[in-house]
Amino acid sequence: MRHVLLAFLAALTVSLLPAQPASAETPVLVELFASQNCNACPKAHRTLKDVQAENGANVLVLTWSVDYWDYLGAPDPMAIPAATERQAAYTDRFEIRAPYTPQSVYDGAMQCPATRKKAVVSNIQTRESATRPGKVEIVSTGDGQFSLDGHTPAPVEVHLVEFLDGSANPTAMVHPVTSTRKLGSWTGGRVSFGYACEASCAAIVQQPGHGEVYAVQRLN
């Protein structure tokens, strides 16, 4: 009888605990900078399509189409100024002589040509085992809102990125980005952000100036 009573009390205690929202570990953010006028880019698209399929939710690939190769052919219809600006910032951070395609960037901390699968896989593995600064949790709470909780060593920026996925993506690219915007800054603690996106979207928590990515999460 005593054992039955203890089991009942244990079950009751668990049932009274506040429910915690489910949240996966942050995936590795792989950003591809490409152009339809880049001869090597189709191979990069195939490489990262395989990488995304092989890694599932552990990796989030986003393809940013740049416009600086448009003089070689027809203007890239997927190119957005934000892609060129984002890559230029990475070029400065990594001290590369000039931007190039197809370039892949990993959590804003590493980069390599996206046609070299061994290097791509190695960078992903390195970032999976890396210790991220602080602790950041992104939880989609529904109804066009998500919350941040945790802490970082210094204030960070919160960005919303929209991209095409599934049947909404008519291209050979993996998650081509259609728009991005800064939602605000974050200094730690629990904060909620509202958002609206027409396609799929993700939240990125990143050091100012396109620094290291502390966390990324798909929102829908």
Side-chain angles (χ1 to χ4, degrees):
M1 186 68 173
R2 180 171 179 270
H3 293 297
V4 174
L5 180 60
L6 289 175
F8 171 76
L9 291 175
L12 180 62
T13 301
V14 171
S15 68
L16 292 177
L17 290 175
Q20 298 297 318
S23 176
E25 290 293 324
T26 186
V28 175
L29 176 62
V30 180
E31 300 177 81
L32 171 64
F33 294 92
S35 168
Q36 72 170 13
N37 295 307
C38 156
N39 291 333
C41 286
K43 181 179 179 181
H45 296 317
R46 292 192 296 270
T47 297
L48 292 187
K49 185 176 182 179
D50 289 344
V51 165
Q52 181 69 82
E54 292 163 2
N55 289 272
N58 294 325
V59 165
L60 176 60
V61 175
L62 295 178
T63 302
W64 298 84
S65 295
V66 298
D67 58 9
Y68 52 80
W69 291 131
D70 282 359
Y71 73 93
L72 295 175
D76 190 330
M78 296 300 297
I80 56 175
T84 303
E85 294 167 6
R86 190 171 180 86
Q87 189 182 26
Y90 282 143
T91 299
D92 291 341
R93 282 198 59 244
F94 294 128
E95 298 182 345
I96 301 171
R97 184 176 63 182
Y100 70 92
T101 55
Q103 181 189 27
S104 55
V105 176
Y106 305 80
D107 287 338
M110 307 175 71
Q111 69 89 34
C112 74
T115 51
R116 301 176 184 173
K117 188 171 182 179
K118 287 185 177 179
V120 169
V121 172
S122 176
N123 283 349
I124 290 172
Q125 292 174 341
T126 298
R127 291 306 302 169
E128 284 178 331
S129 61
T131 300
R132 295 176 186 262
K135 181 176 176 59
V136 183
E137 183 181 41
I138 305 174
V139 178
S140 178
T141 55
D143 297 326
Q145 287 195 329
F146 68 92
S147 67
L148 294 183
D149 202 359
H151 60 88
T152 56
V156 292
E157 295 178 345
V158 183
H159 295 267
L160 182 75
V161 176
E162 277 196 71
F163 57 91
L164 303 180
D165 191 18
S167 61
N169 179 14
T171 76
M173 298 182 284
V174 183
H175 303 150
V177 175
T178 57
S179 69
T180 181
R181 63 183 181 276
K182 179 181 174 181
L183 297 180
S185 297
W186 182 61
T187 57
R190 188 173 181 84
V191 179
S192 294
F193 290 89
Y195 70 94
C197 58
E198 297 179 1
S200 298
C201 54
I204 300 176
V205 178
Q206 188 170 20
Q207 286 179 336
H210 299 85
E212 185 174 356
V213 172
Y214 287 6
V216 61
Q217 199 65 255
R218 288 190 62 150
L219 300 176
N220 56 10

